[in-house]
Amino acid sequence: MLAFVNAVAWISHREDHHPSLVVGYNSARVEYWTHAIGGLSENDFICAAKVDALFDL
């Protein structure tokens, strides 16, 4: 789980777009939201797609 969270952090840092992370035993919740526009931006979807791609590694 820690490796996944670190990978999400790395992706987010590279995109300069940081999610809300909630980490529990054997679970993680990743939420992207652009506060400046009060909703989802294109970059939110890009970051989410990159996080989803981690499962294919």
Side-chain angles (χ1 to χ4, degrees):
M1 185 59 58
L2 188 55
F4 172 77
V5 171
N6 285 334
V8 170
W10 185 83
I11 289 168
S12 299
H13 179 73
R14 296 279 296 172
E15 292 291 328
D16 194 28
H17 199 65
H18 302 92
S20 173
L21 290 169
V22 177
V23 180
Y25 177 76
N26 204 25
S27 67
R29 182 178 176 154
V30 181
E31 291 183 358
Y32 284 98
W33 176 267
T34 301
H35 297 280
I37 65 169
L40 295 173
S41 69
E42 183 178 356
N43 202 21
D44 293 316
F45 289 99
I46 290 168
C47 290
K50 289 181 178 186
V51 170
D52 282 345
L54 291 173
F55 290 105
D56 294 333
L57 297 177

